[in-house]
Amino acid sequence: AQTVTQSQPEMSVQEAETVTLSCTYDTSESDYYLFWYKQPPSRQMILVIRQEAYKQQNATENRFSVNFQKAAKSFSLKISDSQLGDAAMYFCAYCTGTASKLTFGTGTRLQVTL
Amino acid sequence: DAGVIQSPRHEVTEMGQEVTLRCKPISGHDYLFWYRQTMMRGLELLIYFNNNVPIDDSGMPEDRFSAKMPNASFSTLKIQPSEPRDSAVYFCASKRGRAWGNQPQHFGDGTRLSIL
């Protein structure tokens, strides 16, 4: 069974600084996708960034980027120039290329301080 | 375009009552998912549909839970009878097509359910 592990229940970062959230996963598949979702206090689930396993290049979306280490089965999220609005729960998620359902990690709560 | 619409946003009811949660997926999306979020278990997939047909209900906790999708624009998740341990946030999500490349899941705002 595929599993997704987020080992940091909580993280804190100062405004304008950089923070990295960790995620590891376990799979025997070669074709899969990885995602980071943000859940602010409003409860919405917002897709932040996604990575296709077959792509070697790390995905980037503005201030958000990932460090995808396929051999190590690691998928960390880097947030640069952190803003107060980045404070939220962040979930790492996985799915295979042939399946339609996501498996989520337990989440990391990010606090952004002044 | 309107996103995934869930109702109600909050539901408080007494143990033993029937609870019905509703979801309208994004138009044109052929996959619909129901998730449950709790502090203890995180986000769990309960069931998902493709073209209104249930494909995988292995996450449905027990017979008290049932889900239907009578048409492409509407789905319900029903709990009967409800129990306090069913208290959670329930999310509905939809997506277009099976491929993940450019078609992520879109989530509704969730229904916070409290069973007293």
Side-chain angles (χ1 to χ4, degrees), chain B residues 7 13 18-20 22 28 30 32-33 40 44-46 49 75 79 84-85 103 107 111 114:
Chain B
S7 64
T13 192
E18 178 179 290
V19 173
T20 300
R22 297 172 176 79
D30 54 342
L32 184 138
F33 306 81
M40 292 297 294
E44 305 172 276
L45 177 67
L46 300 178
F49 295 82
S75 176
I79 309 172
R85 60 193 169 116
Q103 301 295 339
F107 283 77
T111 294
S114 298

Side-chain angles (χ1 to χ4, degrees), chain A residues 95-106:
Chain A
C95 75
T96 67
T98 56
S100 300
K101 55 185 184 181
L102 287 168
T103 300
F104 284 89
T106 52

Side-chain angles (χ1 to χ4, degrees), chain B residues 10 28 44 52 56 63-65 75 77 90 96 104 106 111:
Chain B
H10 305 277
E44 305 172 276
N52 314 338
D56 184 349
D63 292 345
R64 296 185 298 106
F65 285 68
S75 176
L77 178 67
Y90 290 82
R96 186 196 308 270
H106 297 264
T111 294

Side-chain angles (χ1 to χ4, degrees), chain A residues 33 35 37 39 42-45 47 50 52 91 95-102 104-106 109, chain B residues 9-10 31 33 35 37 43 45 48 56 58 89 91 98 100-102 104-105 107 109-112:
Chain A
Y33 295 83
F35 306 83
Y37 277 87
Q39 187 179 39
S42 64
R43 209 168 70 203
Q44 292 174 292
M45 290 290 288
L47 178 65
R50 63 174 170 262
E52 294 89 336
F91 293 94
C95 75
T96 67
T98 56
S100 300
K101 55 185 184 181
L102 287 168
F104 284 89
T106 52
R109 183 175 301 281
Chain B
R9 185 156 173 80
H10 305 277
Y31 281 84
F33 306 81
Y35 291 89
Q37 185 179 30
L43 269 158
L45 177 67
Y48 77 92
D56 184 349
S58 59
V89 178
F91 285 98
R98 190 179 190 182
W100 282 94
N102 289 309
Q105 287 187 19
F107 283 77
D109 289 345
T111 294
R112 180 176 295 280

Side-chain angles (χ1 to χ4, degrees), chain B residues 42-84:
Chain B
L43 269 158
E44 305 172 276
L45 177 67
L46 300 178
I47 185 171
Y48 77 92
F49 295 82
N50 176 221
N51 291 325
N52 314 338
V53 176
I55 302 301
D56 184 349
D57 65 355
S58 59
M60 295 287 264
E62 49 198 274
D63 292 345
R64 296 185 298 106
F65 285 68
S66 62
K68 294 182 179 180
M69 192 164 185
N71 58 62
S73 58
F74 184 66
S75 176
T76 60
L77 178 67
K78 189 172 293 188
I79 309 172
Q80 167 63 20
S82 58
E83 296 182 4

Side-chain angles (χ1 to χ4, degrees), chain A residues 37 51 74:
Chain A
Y37 277 87
Q51 174 81 43
S74 171

Side-chain angles (χ1 to χ4, degrees), chain A residues 67-84:
Chain A
N67 183 5
F68 175 47
Q69 300 291 324
K70 191 171 183 178
K73 296 180 182 175
S74 171
F75 182 62
S76 59
L77 175 69
K78 186 171 83 171
I79 307 174
S80 304
D81 186 25
S82 297
Q83 301 175 0
L84 294 177

